[in-house]
Amino acid sequence: MLLTLTTTHRPATDLGHLLVKHPDRVQSFDLPAGTAHVLYPEADEARCTAALLVEVDPLKLGGGRGRRQATTPDSFTLGQYVNDRPYATSSLLSSALAKVLRSALRGESRDRPQLAAAAIPLEVRVPVLRCRGGAELAVRVFAPLGWTVAAIPIPLDEAYPEWGDSRYVDLTLTGTLRLADALNHLYVLLPVLDDAKHYWVAPDEVDKLLRAGAGWLADHPERALITRRYLAHRRALAGEAMARLAELRLADEPPADDSIEGGPSTGDGIESGPSTEAPRASLAVRRREAVLAALRDSGASRVLDLGCGGGALLTALVADRRFTEVVGTDVSSQALALAARRLRLDRLPERQRDRIRLWQSALTYRDDRLRGYDAAVLMEVVEHLDPPRLPALEDAVFGHARPGTVVVTTPNVEYNVRYEGLGAGRFRHADHRFEWTRAEFAAWVDRVATAHGYTATIGGVGDEDPELGCPTQLAVLSRTDTDIRKEETT
């Protein structure tokens, strides 16, 4: 079975540093079911392709003293020796990725740490992938993650086209993503599409799934299908995983606008048919991307996530090496505990762990620890405060902490009528104390900016309605250089 990974990032041969595999050598690795080889069919400054070739030994796959056989697509006695496993991409390739490209999966690179944290142009090709559900399912699971998907069904026999298509597809993914994100997508989704794991699924597979799915699985519109298939349809394990994913979603943000904006969801555990529309990233994902883009544009390196909840934005911030110090604050100790678990603080190397701080702090009180940072984020936070408490937040954040840039997002209440079952006058979540119109948000931003020496720009996130605007409002407030210099000299 074969997988190729190509980049045109210049110099493209830096791919060898990210994979920790030299382009001038062929490297081989022993696997429980065969041998994996890493080689480079092409490698120059303009284009570099790494190939992972896995040779499966049917005797190793079927034998092994004391090995408990897992679910396979073949039920007859010789099925463990005579099957498509040596030829079609399956969970065997996923296991090879985990062993051979371990550092790249974790986003670690000693030689190119900044590149490992950056999104680069990538093309992934899996020429023969067993896909139970067809090409449409491949699109449904990969497209919401930012991939452009080409899944071409492979004919059962080219000489007899009337026989129709086989259960296999030729899959090509193109996109601009972090290499670690791309590899984790493949690690989880290849066995999901195959739907036949070659090994016994133990309870620790839940942790593996959540670890590899950090930052994307909880918001994926097909998370129920992915969870069930990855865990080999073991109900107890799938139920545990879905409960933990739901906990993360609730800790991060209320799901009302996310599930609607993200398109149809199969959260009820039923495998739905193909959607007539191309899947879209959820509003929560698009919101985080917009906030990250604003922070990058500001040039910030030390960032506060104020009201961080369960740590969805923190995970994305920590993944980007340009942010040298990341602080998450929340009034809830439970939310901070969830964030710590999501970030896997107890497992991170000391050097990475030192970049992260989690502090319990209320945004309506001055906190000296929050002073001196380049930027702060209030993502879906202000609407959870009673309006009389807003002046206290303004004083604590803009008057006392005074970061160089503040990024604020909040719902656009005008857009709520576009959500089914959420009419005019209703908020998106029971804990929202208010939701602003565009005019009300603009007036608040202008007043805060004027009072505290900031300039402001206002935009939106999500699909824009010509009459009602975007579902999420976003403002970027920046202190002037003169104001910052004056404070530094005093």
Side-chain angles (χ1 to χ4, degrees):
M1 59 186 71
L2 177 67
L3 179 148
T4 61
L5 181 65
T6 301
T7 186
T8 53
H9 168 83
R10 287 180 177 266
T13 48
D14 276 353
L15 182 62
H17 290 286
L18 298 181
L19 298 176
V20 200
K21 303 291 181 288
H22 200 289
D24 293 339
R25 295 197 296 269
V26 176
Q27 294 180 261
S28 299
F29 305 84
D30 289 331
L31 302 174
T35 307
H37 309 279
V38 178
L39 60 151
Y40 289 77
E42 56 181 345
D44 57 44
E45 288 198 357
R47 183 180 173 89
C48 185
T49 298
L52 175 61
L53 176 66
V54 178
E55 294 182 295
V56 176
D57 183 339
L59 295 179
K60 284 186 175 181
L61 180 63
R65 297 181 59 184
R67 178 179 297 174
R68 187 172 184 178
Q69 295 301 315
T71 304
T72 71
D74 310 282
S75 57
F76 61 99
T77 304
L78 293 179
Q80 56 185 313
Y81 301 107
V82 183
N83 53 49
D84 62 358
R85 303 294 86 178
Y87 315 105
T89 293
S90 65
S91 55
L92 290 164
L93 186 60
S94 180
S95 295
L97 281 171
K99 179 172 182 179
V100 176
L101 304 178
R102 184 174 302 173
S103 296
L105 271 163
R106 294 176 177 172
E108 300 172 356
S109 175
R110 183 179 61 185
D111 298 323
R112 299 291 189 276
Q114 292 183 332
L115 185 59
I120 61 175
L122 295 171
E123 178 182 291
V124 177
R125 172 94 187 278
V126 184
V128 183
L129 170 63
R130 185 178 185 272
C131 189
R132 180 173 171 260
E136 295 85 358
L137 182 59
V139 174
R140 281 162 50 199
V141 299
F142 278 108
L145 301 175
W147 292 104
T148 299
V149 185
I152 303 173
I154 298 175
L156 194 62
D157 191 323
E158 293 182 355
Y160 299 94
E162 65 272 17
W163 289 2
D165 295 328
S166 68
R167 66 181 67 176
Y168 308 99
V169 299
D170 180 348
L171 179 70
T172 301
L173 308 172
T174 55
T176 302
L177 296 89
R178 283 198 320 140
L179 178 63
D181 292 335
L183 293 177
N184 278 287
H185 296 165
L186 294 167
Y187 174 78
V188 172
L189 296 178
L190 291 181
V192 165
L193 294 176
D194 177 35
D195 199 22
K197 281 203 167 184
H198 70 280
Y199 58 86
W200 178 252
V201 176
D204 65 350
E205 290 292 306
V206 174
D207 289 331
K208 292 180 183 179
L209 172 62
L210 297 183
R211 186 160 57 244
W216 61 270
L217 181 56
D219 295 314
H220 199 292
E222 299 290 349
R223 59 189 172 276
L225 180 149
I226 293 169
T227 299
R228 185 171 57 257
R229 286 192 172 196
Y230 182 88
L231 297 170
H233 300 271
R234 294 190 61 185
R235 288 189 177 184
L237 297 183
E240 178 189 347
M242 287 298 293
R244 290 171 63 179
L245 288 172
E247 185 180 45
L248 290 173
R249 284 170 60 81
L250 288 172
D252 293 336
E253 181 182 357
D257 59 350
D258 296 348
S259 59
I260 296 171
E261 179 71 13
S265 170
T266 55
D268 56 3
I270 300 173
E271 294 188 19
S272 64
S275 171
T276 57
E277 298 182 359
R280 296 173 297 169
S282 71
L283 182 58
V285 171
R286 297 162 80 178
R287 185 184 299 120
R288 285 198 294 271
E289 291 174 350
V291 169
L292 289 170
L295 291 173
R296 291 169 184 143
D297 290 344
S298 75
S301 59
R302 301 175 66 239
V303 179
L304 301 166
D305 182 7
L306 303 176
C308 64
L313 179 62
L314 290 176
T315 302
L317 289 169
V318 171
D320 192 329
R321 290 288 179 178
R322 78 187 70 202
F323 303 121
T324 58
E325 184 177 351
V326 176
V327 176
T329 76
D330 203 282
V331 71
S332 167
S333 59
Q334 182 181 10
L336 293 174
L338 286 171
R341 188 168 70 187
R342 185 172 196 154
L343 291 163
R344 304 192 299 277
L345 287 182
D346 58 335
R347 304 179 189 178
L348 289 178
E350 184 177 354
R351 184 175 59 181
Q352 294 188 37
R353 192 167 58 246
D354 287 345
R355 295 171 55 218
I356 308 167
R357 304 281 187 275
L358 296 178
W359 295 334
Q360 188 169 16
S361 181
L363 295 179
T364 52
Y365 294 92
R366 293 187 171 199
D367 189 335
D368 289 339
R369 296 175 299 176
L370 306 183
R371 292 177 61 87
Y373 283 83
D374 300 326
V377 178
L378 291 164
M379 189 173 75
E380 307 301 287
V381 169
V382 294
E383 65 274 9
H384 291 272
L385 273 67
D386 290 314
R389 301 295 293 162
L390 281 177
L393 176 143
E394 297 162 14
D395 175 70
V397 175
F398 297 93
H400 186 71
R402 296 192 60 73
T405 298
V406 182
V407 182
V408 184
T409 75
T410 192
N412 169 16
V413 71
E414 298 170 74
Y415 195 92
N416 288 359
V417 295
R418 292 290 184 255
Y419 291 135
E420 184 178 353
L422 191 64
R426 292 187 59 192
F427 296 158
R428 299 185 197 178
H429 189 266
D431 190 54
H432 285 188
R433 309 307 168 89
F434 65 88
E435 289 179 3
W436 277 319
T437 65
R438 287 170 291 171
E440 289 169 337
F441 181 59
W444 179 80
V445 170
D446 180 68
R447 181 176 60 77
V448 170
T450 301
H452 297 284
Y454 285 79
T455 59
T457 59
I458 297 177
V461 181
D463 296 338
E464 184 173 7
D465 185 285
E467 297 178 0
L468 306 174
C470 296
T472 291
Q473 306 186 76
L474 181 147
V476 180
L477 297 93
S478 303
R479 289 168 58 191
T480 64
D481 291 341
T482 303
D483 185 47
I484 294 173
R485 285 196 298 269
K486 186 187 298 182
E487 183 169 297
E488 288 175 346
T489 57
T490 58

